[in-house]
Amino acid sequence: MTDCIICKIAQGTIPAQKILETDTVVAFMDIAPQAPVHGLVAPKAHIRNVVELAAHSPDLSQELVVAIAEFARQSGISDDGFRVVANTGDDGGQSVDHLHFHVLGGRSMTWPPG
Ligand code: 5GP
Ligand code: ZN
């Protein structure tokens, strides 16, 4: 999609601090981190949310989970724990309309979220 930040990051047309990349997924640091470690893990294809993801091959869901785990391991937050969030739609607070999993760590999280 032409006017999508995550599509552009995936294609390399706008810069991002990429942590890992495969043929199908990309992980990069959030531009406005909400924790000492804050990455975004996304499919390269323009899939809007987890509802659309569910209609795709299960392989892609698996690849995203593997990328989340690998991002956490490389960022050093696997052992102490971290949070994975996919804001979805208006009530979910999604501002970028391309599926992405926030991976937040490096501090203790609170619950419930706002
Ligand atoms: P959402 O609100 O959709 O759950 O999350 C969108 C996230 O994308 C936000 O945390 C925001 O900081 C991040 N973001 C927005 N624009 C950019 C950008 O150009 N580069 C990077 N790395 N992150 C971005
Ligand atoms: Zn996109």
Side-chain angles (χ1 to χ4, degrees):
M1 193 184 221
T2 50
D3 199 25
C4 170
I5 286 164
I6 292 179
C7 283
K8 288 178 180 169
I9 288 172
Q11 290 156 10
T13 54
I14 64 171
Q17 189 185 344
K18 287 184 184 171
I19 304 301
L20 61 93
E21 186 169 11
T22 72
D23 287 348
T24 55
V25 305
V26 63
F28 54 96
M29 302 312 291
D30 197 292
I31 204 168
Q34 302 300 311
V37 174
H38 185 176
L40 302 175
V41 177
K44 288 186 170 178
H46 187 80
I47 294 167
R48 292 178 61 204
N49 53 40
V50 289
V51 178
E52 285 195 7
L53 178 64
H56 279 255
S57 157
D59 288 352
L60 183 55
S61 298
Q62 168 74 2
E63 287 157 11
L64 286 162
V65 172
V66 168
I68 289 166
E70 181 60 17
F71 173 86
R73 192 190 66 75
Q74 285 192 28
S75 304
I77 57 175
S78 277
D79 290 345
D80 287 343
F82 55 93
R83 183 168 291 175
V84 180
V85 176
N87 296 325
T88 305
D90 289 344
D91 278 1
Q94 184 174 9
S95 63
V96 174
D97 203 27
H98 177 137
L99 172 65
H100 50 283
F101 294 92
H102 296 259
V103 184
L104 299 137
R107 67 169 169 83
S108 187
M109 301 290 154
T110 59
W111 192 264

